[in-house]
Amino acid sequence: MEDSPLIVIGAGQAGLATARAAHRAGVRALVLEASDRPGGSWPHYYDSLTLFSPARFSSLPGLPMPGDPDRYPRRDEVVDYLRDYAARSEMDLRCGRRVERAERDGSGLVLTLSDGSRARSSAVVNATGGFGRPHRPDLPGPTDFTGTVLHAAEYRSPGPFAGRRVVVVGGGNSGVQIAAELAGTARVSLATRSPVAWTEQRPLGRDVHWWFVRSGLDVAPLSRLWRRIPVLVNDDGRYRAAFATGNPDRREMFTRVEGDKVTWPDGTVEKVDTLLLATGYRPALDHLAPTGALDAEGRPRHRGGVSTTVPGLGYVGLEFQRSFSSATLRGVGRDARHVVRRLLREARR
């Protein structure tokens, strides 16, 4: 069994930021990554995904994202940036090492990996983030939809949908981006339970994230407040203009699914080829269940990223972990420093 002073599960943005925080604290972290390369979920998002925060607000600690700081990076730029960051980092990175199970062992945790090996530490940070498990809500109706149902995690590009009738479910940034892109080749509706909450990309000439940072809202411990407001869709005018054409259009959520048809709130019944669920993600934390770290619904019990039920266990990259920006490229570094300091201090007692 291998022992390490700190083990990090996941080599996406949260895991890489955590490894850097550990290095600055004088510890070389063992980082276990399930896939064959670092980068987390980013390589698996749709081809045209574009950040809604500019590069200057989309960097991990110690390495600014290259290029024009005011541009909005695309998926592949983020992937390249994260892999470059990993190559520059001081850590023991092991790819192809999925953590299958975590168990308590005295004052620490023992991890069983996909290759059958085991590793132990008194300080473990789960940095798999909140995007490991696509959320697929139940569809309204007596039967399953007999057309194609996809989650946004499975969408790559509009080509396969040419000439089809597509309903995108979910009014966040991804849902709006995908609906607008698909409308170039398909007939598209965006189905949401409430109107899209548009916000200006650059109010008064500054990106909205500049205002968040300058005002302190970005790091304010107001998670309960943020959870109550609708997801804001950042737009420089292009997406609203696209919806103004009527394709895509925005509709109230359908009330029924039966066969290959949906029923809209006004009673109209329409045949649909594809339902595309842009309904977000949930953390994939089943490997932690044996430790007692999760509640009955599979959510982590923690305060500010430090487990309240399992000594030596922390989290980095969860949405609203400590603030609005906790699950963002710019926010994981702050949370990583906090969690690493707490866990190492506890381990040294």
Side-chain angles (χ1 to χ4, degrees):
M1 183 184 301
E2 184 167 6
D3 282 278
S4 175
L6 176 69
I7 296 177
V8 180
I9 305 174
Q13 62 192 41
L16 297 178
T18 303
R20 184 180 191 276
H23 176 66
R24 291 179 64 84
V27 171
R28 189 167 188 254
L30 170 60
V31 181
L32 303 172
E33 167 58 35
S35 66
D36 62 352
R37 299 181 71 182
S41 300
W42 286 100
H44 309 294
Y45 294 140
Y46 54 96
D47 296 348
S48 65
L49 182 143
T50 303
L51 295 187
F52 52 88
S53 56
R56 71 169 69 249
F57 297 117
S58 303
S59 300
L60 295 179
L63 183 65
M65 189 171 283
D68 180 0
D70 291 319
R71 81 186 193 288
Y72 296 90
R74 304 214 3 167
R75 180 202 65 185
D76 289 349
E77 294 179 78
V78 178
V79 172
D80 290 343
Y81 168 77
L82 291 175
R83 288 175 177 166
D84 181 46
Y85 193 94
R88 296 167 180 253
S89 298
E90 288 291 333
M91 60 181 171
D92 182 3
L93 174 60
R94 312 277 182 89
C95 291
R97 299 290 196 276
R98 179 180 297 278
V99 175
E100 300 285 1
R101 182 180 179 86
E103 299 170 281
R104 295 198 206 192
D105 177 35
S107 60
L109 291 169
V110 173
L111 309 181
T112 302
L113 312 186
S114 53
D115 63 356
S117 63
R118 306 177 84 193
R120 183 192 181 281
S121 180
S122 56
V124 173
V125 176
N126 191 91
T128 54
F131 303 96
R133 181 162 51 96
H135 177 53
R136 299 173 181 269
D138 292 334
L139 299 173
T143 63
D144 291 333
F145 182 65
T146 58
T148 301
V149 181
L150 296 174
H151 191 274
E154 302 167 281
Y155 171 74
R156 291 295 175 268
S157 63
F161 303 90
R164 301 176 72 83
R165 179 70 175 104
V166 180
V167 175
V168 178
V169 178
N173 285 278
S174 293
V176 167
Q177 283 189 15
I178 291 172
E181 179 176 66
L182 281 171
T185 59
R187 174 72 183 93
V188 184
S189 292
L190 182 74
T192 65
R193 299 192 183 282
S194 57
V196 175
W198 301 106
T199 185
E200 296 292 336
Q201 184 80 60
R202 300 183 64 85
L204 301 178
R206 294 280 194 176
D207 183 87
V208 65
H209 294 87
W210 184 91
W211 294 104
F212 284 160
V213 171
R214 284 300 181 95
S215 67
L217 286 174
D218 208 45
V219 296
L222 301 173
S223 297
R224 292 183 180 180
L225 173 62
W226 283 115
R227 290 178 187 276
R228 292 194 187 104
I229 67 175
V231 176
L232 301 177
V233 175
N234 292 280
D235 183 33
D236 60 6
R238 288 178 295 168
Y239 293 120
R240 272 171 286 193
F243 277 82
T245 69
N247 185 32
D249 64 356
R250 182 261 160 187
R251 303 190 185 192
E252 294 290 331
M253 184 66 186
F254 47 84
T255 59
R256 182 183 178 92
V257 171
E258 190 164 7
D260 62 353
K261 299 178 175 63
V262 302
T263 301
W264 297 104
D266 64 0
T268 301
V269 178
E270 184 180 10
K271 182 180 182 300
V272 171
D273 297 303
T274 302
L275 294 177
L276 199 157
L277 308 177
T279 47
Y281 298 80
R282 300 291 186 269
L285 300 172
D286 290 350
H287 54 284
L288 297 178
T291 67
L294 312 179
D295 65 16
E297 297 181 8
R299 296 173 301 194
R301 298 184 176 99
H302 72 96
R303 182 173 295 111
V306 177
S307 176
T308 56
T309 57
V310 180
L313 177 63
Y315 303 89
V316 175
L318 298 176
E319 285 194 294
F320 301 109
Q321 179 171 307
R322 297 181 70 218
S323 67
F324 168 75
S325 62
S326 281
T328 67
L329 283 157
R330 69 184 179 278
V332 289
R334 289 187 294 266
D335 286 2
R337 290 192 297 271
H338 169 77
V339 171
V340 167
R341 282 198 300 263
R342 286 280 306 275
L343 294 185
L344 292 181
R345 186 165 61 242
E346 291 177 8
R348 289 163 180 160
R349 287 177 181 171

